């Protein structure tokens, strides 16, 4: 009969509507409570899906990548970076500029004197972090960076790129742990050789 | 298994002595003047009725126009015939057009004319297609340089080790116009007049029930015609009935291929994300498969499974989104679309966890994938797959029997598969018209040959069948996903050997295709053995499928033309490249 298909379809939208409505009215699970949100946005969740941005934010994955950052271990004047140039060369849009440091006699040193990233060009591909042989460049997750002046604020130089290793460890805990493990293994192997 | 090119060459030589002048690797070289007769013969006598890919490349001493023929005949589906034509006259290159034999040549020949300046004799409408009439130069020629040009290949030496601090100037200023800008000879800005674009249309008088009147044209777009992106269509109308459609492309054009030719082989992977931004995983897939074929690279098993899982998740969400948007165009504003987007979020969560980004995933690598996934991820993925399965059923209940939908969709936009083959249409649109042709089956890549799945087909190829086709394919993808999740090895490498940042790719030339959710996604690559591709061409399914839009729409109502456009399921990032 004409109309049955329509009604069948409407029953689906109706169910969605009722689900959202009822789920919103569970006093023991307040609507915008963190826990409850996570549950609703999970695979088992039903009903509405949206949250109140920017008051509320979704938890982003620890592997999420946005812009690169440079890691230092102890002090910012000793970054891990050795100015080897792999990241600058692999970068697909070529938005990394590196100036290698030299000593008084003009011999090249294994550290950068200048390091600039044009974040207006960076495509967040993550290749620099992936291919850096010294784990010196990693991907930051800070992504709310609107600014009124792109020339002034979106050209990152060393000061803006450098972050302590603790910051990196907090952002990417499992990657950090894996790297530490690898390092230790290497060190032990070296000790045994010696 | 490749086609027996030797046998085909012998047969051609017998029929047309001297027409095949050379053999270049896997390519037959045909004499340019004999091209149409040979092509006709290949189509009618040998059953190679399907010109899916046509492009060109620029060498120092010649142009080459390359063609890839495939067959819809069940016994010779699979590898096709690659052949090419050499054009030594670089000053005034001419090739006979194949538009009279294959309509799929229309758009692609126009693209070659636009990008290389090769004229196709006999083409009915040899206009630029991605750039505008009046553009100076042909950008894919090797001697054409874009503004902001630094040098032929990345990496640029100015970046390391002695970079100067780049002065924070605005991008407009950084563009070195003066050094690069090219004017046509004798160009005088005062005398210049834009080419009136309405010239492309016949300003015909038409006869309307005995009343002589002007042909009416209506512009749709370029802003968001039916939310598909920046496409403009000039629609000729007779009352409410469509009499012609002239798509104006290129609003999103950024010369993806030139960027690719400047880039390292690795550096192209993230750019392919931006082709069809609904299916970035599958674009990655197509590209790395092509390069791996050139390199002869093996891929570890776990990585293959991850590739298939990501690829099929992409297919499911692409089809759900296509259906959702389809209903937008039909006037069922937003509800089905938002439901589709809800499901997509779950898949994007998985992508974010695995690759680090939701859309611009950059996940596939030559010989593997970028990052392994945890057991927890696989568990979640299984839940998502179960959910998708349920949701496909829900979509089915919600939409399939809707009488309004059926009334709008039945018989609209129908086309026979024979005609679609002539237009080069591939993917779900083609299968919905009844031809069982899926590259995952006929020319398997990755590990698709180990999965048990069907290639669904329908009969008429109208909008309703396309809808059902997408539903059925999404179901098959869920089947593949289940098998993949069951069988994926628990541990194992995800990358073959060491992953160099600048792999050298052995010299060679190939056209490699995969079954993208929208159709045949092909990459035509020429390597000269270096770290950059010499030629990089994307044969995008959206672009070629769009060529059939006019034929599908003529005679239907104006409002239906938009729905037909939606049912072809195009993404402008891929059309315009
Ligand atoms: S690859 Fe790493 S060590 Fe080398 S220049 Fe880049 S950040 Fe520094
Ligand atoms: S994320 Fe990609 S584009 Fe951005 S700086 Fe690193 S390599 Fe370059």
């Amino acid at each position: 009969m004409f109309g049955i298909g329509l009604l069948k379809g409407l029953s689906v939208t109706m169910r969605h509507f009722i689900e959202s409505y009822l789920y919103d009215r569970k006093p023991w699970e307040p609507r915008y409570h963190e826990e409850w949100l996570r549950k609703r946005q999970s695979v088992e969740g039903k009903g509405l899906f949206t949250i109140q941005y920017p008051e509320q934010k979704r938890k982003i994955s620890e592997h999420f990548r946005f812009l690169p950052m440079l890691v230092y271990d102890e002090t910012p004047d000793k970054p891990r970076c050795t100015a080897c140039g792999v990241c600058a060369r692999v970068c697909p849009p070529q938005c990394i500029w590196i100036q290698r440091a030299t000593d008084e006699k003009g011999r090249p040193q294994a550290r950068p004197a200048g390091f600039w990233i044009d974040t207006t060009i960076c495509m967040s591909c993550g290749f620099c972090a992936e291919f850096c042989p010294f784990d010196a460049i990693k991907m930051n997750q800070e992504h709310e960076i609107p600014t009124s002046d792109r020339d002034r604020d979106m050209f990152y130089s060393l000061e803006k790129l450098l972050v302590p290793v603790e910051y990196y460890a907090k952002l990417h805990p499992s990657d950090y742990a894996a790297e530490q493990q690898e390092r230790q293994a290497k060190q032990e192997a070296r000790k045994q050789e010696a | 298994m490749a086609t027996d090119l030797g046998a085909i060459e012998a047969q051609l030589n017998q029929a047309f002595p001297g027409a095949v002048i050379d053999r270049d690797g896997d390519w037959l070289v045909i004499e340019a003047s004999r091209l149409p007769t040979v092509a006709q013969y290949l189509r009618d006598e040998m059953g190679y009725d399907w010109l899916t890919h046509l492009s060109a490349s620029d060498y120092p001493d010649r142009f080459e126009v390359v063609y890839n023929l495939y067959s819809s005949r069940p016994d010779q589906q699979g590898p096709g015939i690659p052949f090419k034509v050499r054009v030594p006259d670089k000053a005034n290159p001419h090739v006979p057009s194949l538009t009279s034999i294959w309509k799929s040549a229309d758009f692609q020949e126009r693209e070659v004319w636009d990008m290389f300046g090769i004229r196709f004799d006999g083409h009915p409408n040899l206009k630029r297609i991605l750039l505008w009439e009046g553009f100076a130069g042909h950008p894919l020629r090797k001697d054409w340089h874009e503004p902001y040009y630094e040098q032929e290949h990345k990496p640029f030496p100015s970046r390391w080790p002695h970079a100067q601090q780049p002065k924070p100037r605005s991008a407009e200023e950084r563009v070195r116009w003066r050094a690069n800008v090219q004017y046509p000879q004798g160009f005088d800005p005062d005398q210049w007049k834009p080419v009136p674009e309405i010239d492309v249309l016949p300003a015909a008088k038409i006869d309307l029930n005995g009343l002589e009147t002007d042909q009416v044209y209506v512009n749709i777009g370029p802003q968001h015609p039916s939310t598909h992106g920046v496409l403009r269509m000039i629609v000729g109308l007779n009352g409410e009935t469509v009499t012609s459609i002239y798509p104006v492309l290129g609003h999103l054009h950024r010369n993806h291929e030139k960027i690719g030719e400047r880039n390292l082989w690795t550096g192209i992977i993230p750019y392919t994300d931006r082709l069809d931004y609904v299916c970035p995983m599958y674009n990655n897939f197509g590209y790395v498969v092509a390069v791996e074929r050139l390199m002869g690279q093996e891929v570890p098993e776990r990585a293959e499974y991850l590739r298939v899982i990501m690829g099929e998740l992409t297919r499911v969400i692409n089809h759900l989104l296509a259906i959702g948007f389809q209903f937008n165009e039909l006037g069922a504003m937003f509800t089905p679309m938002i439901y589709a987007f809800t499901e997509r979020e779950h898949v994007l969560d998985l992508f974010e966890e695995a690759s680090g980004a939701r859309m611009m995933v950059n996940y596939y690598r030559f010989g593997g994938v970028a990052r392994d996934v945890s057991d927890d991820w696989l568990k979640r993925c299984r839940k998502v797959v179960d959910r998708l399965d349920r949701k496909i059923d829900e979509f089915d209940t919600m939409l399939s029997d809707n009488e309004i939908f059926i009334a709008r969709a039945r018989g609209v936009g129908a086309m026979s598969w024979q005609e679609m083959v002539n237009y080069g249409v591939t993917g779900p649109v083609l299968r919905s018209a009844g031809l069982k042709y899926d590259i995952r089956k006929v020319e398997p890549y990755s590990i698709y040959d180990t999965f048990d799945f069907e290639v669904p087909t329908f009969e008429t190829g109208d909008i309703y069948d396309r809808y059902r086709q997408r539903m059925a394919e999404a179901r098959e993808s869920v089947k593949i996903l289940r098998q993949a999740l069951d069988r994926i090895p628990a541990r194992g490498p995800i990358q073959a050997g060491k992953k160099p940042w600048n792999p050298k790719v052995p010299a060679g030339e190939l056209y490699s295709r995969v079954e993208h959710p929208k159709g045949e996604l092909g990459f035509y690559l020429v390597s000269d053995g270096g770290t950059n591709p010499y030629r990089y061409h994307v044969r995008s399914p959206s672009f070629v499928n769009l060529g059939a839009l006019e034929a599908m729409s003529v005679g239907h109502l104006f409002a239906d033309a938009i729905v037909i456009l939606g049912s072809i399921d195009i993404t402008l990032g891929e059309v315009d490249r």
Side-chain angles (χ1 to χ4, degrees):
Chain A
M1 199 186 79
F2 187 87
I4 297 286
L6 254 175
L7 288 178
K8 242 168 69 184
L10 282 177
S11 73
V12 173
T13 35
M14 201 60 194
R15 207 181 60 236
H16 274 255
F17 172 71
I18 293 173
E19 267 171 5
S20 298
Y21 188 81
L22 290 184
Y23 276 67
D24 280 351
R25 268 157 191 72
K26 287 188 185 167
W28 60 95
E29 281 176 326
R31 187 170 179 185
Y32 289 117
H33 188 270
E34 284 285 313
E35 267 310 289
W36 176 225
L37 261 182
R38 199 145 314 143
K39 208 159 137 194
R40 258 182 117 168
Q41 294 204 325
S42 72
V43 185
E44 291 86 16
K46 285 183 181 149
L48 258 188
F49 214 69
T50 48
I51 57 170
Q52 300 294 311
Y53 184 84
E55 284 82 22
Q56 283 179 319
K57 283 173 194 166
R58 302 195 56 214
K59 198 170 159 289
I60 47 181
S61 154
E62 71 165 286
H63 301 310
F64 177 70
R65 55 183 146 84
F66 194 62
L67 289 176
M69 60 189 181
L70 288 171
V71 181
Y72 65 83
D73 279 316
E74 282 131 30
T75 51
D77 56 338
K78 287 202 199 93
R80 282 183 178 181
C81 173
T82 61
C84 72
V86 168
C87 58
R89 285 176 289 169
V90 76
C91 175
Q94 295 283 291
C95 67
I96 305 182
W97 280 258
I98 301 173
Q99 191 178 50
R100 198 165 50 197
T102 46
D103 63 7
E104 314 84 67
K105 289 192 192 125
R107 282 177 307 211
Q109 298 270 297
R111 99 193 128 73
F115 201 112
W116 300 274
I117 293 181
D118 184 349
T119 61
T120 57
I121 303 179
C122 172
M123 65 199 293
S124 306
C125 68
F127 273 154
C128 47
E130 192 173 322
F131 289 106
C132 173
F134 300 94
D135 291 326
I137 191 164
K138 293 290 167 193
M139 297 307 279
N140 205 337
Q141 298 185 341
E142 180 59 53
H143 56 278
E144 287 157 328
I145 49 167
T147 161
S148 58
D149 187 342
R150 65 174 179 187
D151 299 343
R152 190 190 60 215
D153 298 333
M154 304 211 50
F155 236 95
Y156 288 10
S157 58
L158 260 181
E159 305 85 72
K160 208 157 171 182
L161 287 166
L162 279 169
V163 294
V165 65
E166 293 80 29
Y167 177 79
Y168 163 55
K170 210 174 103 219
L171 278 191
H172 303 279
S174 53
D175 287 358
Y176 177 73
E179 274 160 26
Q180 284 306 94
Q181 227 173 10
E182 203 176 306
R183 241 176 232 217
Q184 256 163 14
K186 259 190 206 157
Q187 262 169 8
E188 248 146 61
R190 223 174 284 152
K191 252 188 224 156
Q192 277 185 355
E193 257 171 48
Chain B
M1 60 165 184
T3 6
D4 189 356
L5 266 192
I8 288 164
E9 190 180 345
Q11 198 175 340
L12 283 179
N13 268 333
Q14 207 176 12
F16 307 98
V20 182
I21 49 179
D22 198 359
R23 178 80 176 272
D24 183 359
D26 289 336
W27 302 72
L28 300 177
V29 184
I30 310 253
E31 207 209 307
S33 60
R34 315 272 290 269
L35 179 66
T37 34
V38 173
Q40 187 93 42
Y41 179 80
L42 282 167
R43 188 189 77 173
D44 297 339
E45 308 299 323
M46 296 176 69
Y48 284 89
D49 50 358
W50 201 344
L51 176 72
T52 64
H53 162 246
L54 187 168
S55 70
S57 60
D58 176 13
Y59 298 97
D61 59 336
R62 64 183 189 278
F63 288 110
E64 276 181 2
V65 184
V66 296
Y67 302 84
N68 283 86
L69 280 192
Y70 290 94
S71 172
S72 64
R73 245 170 49 191
D75 59 324
Q76 54 187 26
Q77 293 177 352
I81 307 180
F83 62 93
K84 56 166 98 172
V85 166
R86 291 197 177 127
V87 193
D89 180 6
K90 286 202 81 165
N92 189 16
H94 278 265
V95 178
S97 166
L98 292 187
T99 37
S100 55
I101 305 172
W102 286 290
K103 299 202 180 91
S104 57
D106 180 358
F107 273 25
Q108 300 192 67
E109 283 181 355
R110 279 175 67 192
E111 189 190 341
V112 170
W113 154 245
D114 196 354
M115 294 294 147
F116 289 94
I118 300 174
R119 277 183 196 282
F120 289 89
D121 302 326
H123 191 292
N125 179 30
L126 196 63
K127 294 264 171 20
R128 287 184 182 269
I129 188 163
L130 296 175
L131 299 163
W132 61 94
E133 281 302 321
F135 185 90
H138 298 281
L140 278 179
R141 290 189 177 180
K142 290 289 174 192
D143 57 4
W144 189 92
H145 293 154
E146 68 278 18
Y148 207 5
Y149 170 83
E150 272 197 56
Q151 61 171 47
E152 210 48 51
H153 296 311
K154 291 168 183 176
F156 301 144
S158 66
R159 303 296 197 271
W160 176 83
H162 303 299
Q164 294 305 310
Q165 172 165 18
K167 287 211 190 67
R169 284 173 296 168
S170 60
E172 289 82 356
E173 269 179 74
R174 279 202 307 267
V175 173
R176 293 158 52 200
W177 288 108
R178 255 161 271 112
N180 284 304
V181 70
Q182 296 174 13
Y183 296 104
Q185 261 182 354
F187 178 79
D188 178 358
D190 295 330
Q191 301 295 316
W192 183 77
K193 282 201 194 62
V195 181
E197 56 184 10
I198 208 75
D199 274 11
V200 299
L201 309 166
K205 299 269 181 210
I206 53 167
D207 184 11
L208 200 67
N209 302 333
L211 192 73
E212 192 181 273
T213 163
D214 280 345
Q215 172 72 53
V216 175
Y217 289 108
V218 176
N219 271 296
I220 313 185
Q223 307 91 346
H224 257 246
S226 67
T227 61
H228 273 276
V230 245
L231 168 74
R232 176 170 161 222
M233 305 192 289
I234 306 175
V235 184
L237 288 179
N238 177 357
E240 276 282 307
T241 312
V242 174
T243 56
S244 69
I245 291 189
Y246 189 82
V248 183
L249 311 178
H251 297 88
L252 265 181
H253 181 65
R254 63 259 183 214
N255 217 337
H256 181 86
E257 294 172 12
K258 192 90 174 176
I259 297 174
E261 284 163 23
R262 298 243 188 282
N263 237 322
L264 296 171
W265 288 99
T266 328
I268 298 176
I269 303 173
Y271 280 98
T272 60
D273 292 339
R274 279 105 175 137
L275 281 171
D276 174 359
Y277 34 74
V278 181
C279 315
M281 285 286 187
Y282 231 94
N283 304 333
N284 280 195
F285 205 165
Y287 175 64
V288 298
V289 164
V291 178
E292 280 163 4
R293 280 181 179 159
L294 264 183
M295 299 206 286
Q297 172 78 272
E298 293 289 318
V299 185
E301 204 186 349
R302 186 170 162 94
E304 287 281 27
Y305 274 96
L306 286 175
R307 286 181 174 191
V308 169
I309 291 173
M310 301 297 175
E312 293 308 311
L313 282 173
T314 308
R315 193 182 308 276
V316 178
I317 54 174
N318 177 70
H319 285 356
L320 287 185
L321 280 198
I323 290 167
F325 278 115
Q326 178 81 86
F327 277 81
N328 250 11
E329 281 131 18
L330 281 162
M333 270 318 201
F334 296 127
T335 305
M337 189 197 90
I338 292 290
Y339 287 3
F341 266 104
T342 312
E343 301 322 311
R344 179 169 180 251
E345 284 305 302
H346 293 296
V347 176
L348 294 192
D349 282 348
L350 289 176
F351 287 175
E352 180 183 337
E353 176 91 29
S355 72
R358 298 172 78 77
M359 286 179 73
M360 300 302 128
V361 291
N362 188 15
Y363 185 62
Y364 292 54
R365 297 287 178 274
F366 308 137
V369 291
R371 181 195 288 280
D372 205 352
V373 299
S374 62
D375 297 342
D376 188 44
W377 188 95
L378 288 171
K379 270 198 210 106
R380 250 177 62 207
C381 182
R382 191 177 285 273
K383 279 192 205 156
V384 171
V385 172
D386 290 341
R387 182 181 163 118
L388 287 174
D389 196 13
R390 283 200 308 277
K391 290 294 168 176
I392 294 169
D393 288 340
E394 190 181 290
F395 265 74
D396 201 8
T397 323
M398 180 166 71
L399 305 171
S400 298
D401 297 334
N402 187 319
E403 284 86 357
I404 303 177
F405 172 45
I406 295 176
R408 284 288 308 272
R410 267 267 168 246
V412 175
M415 196 186 233
S416 69
W417 68 258
Q418 287 85 351
E419 210 176 336
M420 285 196 191
V421 164
N422 198 276
Y423 273 103
V425 174
T426 45
V429 181
L430 172 72
R431 289 189 286 271
S432 74
L435 180 63
K436 203 181 184 105
Y437 192 94
D438 187 317
I439 300 167
R440 291 174 296 176
K441 286 277 192 205
V442 300
E443 209 179 345
Y445 51 95
S446 188
I447 46 168
Y448 275 112
D449 46 353
T450 66
F451 292 102
D452 169 30
F453 67 101
E454 290 299 315
V455 180
T457 52
F458 287 88
E459 302 85 37
T460 64
D462 62 6
I463 293 179
Y464 190 66
D465 277 352
R466 289 178 204 171
Y467 159 82
R468 291 198 294 175
Q469 178 71 28
R470 295 210 165 89
M471 288 295 233
E473 284 188 16
R475 288 214 167 90
E476 292 303 318
S477 291
V478 167
K479 238 161 87 183
I480 298 177
L481 280 165
R482 290 232 164 90
Q483 294 170 39
L485 286 168
D486 285 340
R487 299 203 321 236
I488 181 169
R491 293 275 170 281
I494 52 149
Q495 174 71 42
K498 227 172 118 28
K499 176 170 57 178
W501 60 271
N502 58 346
K504 273 211 169 62
V505 174
E509 174 178 3
L510 96 172
Y511 174 72
S512 149
R513 53 184 194 151
V514 295
E515 185 70 36
H516 183 273
K518 293 187 165 67
E520 170 177 333
L521 174 68
F523 286 90
Y524 168 63
L525 304 172
V526 180
S527 168
D528 54 5
T531 54
N532 310 75
Y534 183 80
R535 172 81 176 106
Y536 164 76
H537 172 74
V538 186
R539 183 263 187 220
S540 71
S542 299
F543 178 69
V544 183
N545 288 1
L546 197 58
L549 174 68
E550 178 168 21
M552 286 176 186
S553 310
V554 166
H556 290 290
L557 295 182
F558 185 53
D560 288 339
I562 299 183
V563 187
I564 294 168
L565 171 70
S567 71
I568 301 177
D569 187 19
I570 57 164
T571 310
L572 270 297
E574 186 180 72
V575 172
D576 295 340
R577 279 158 294 146

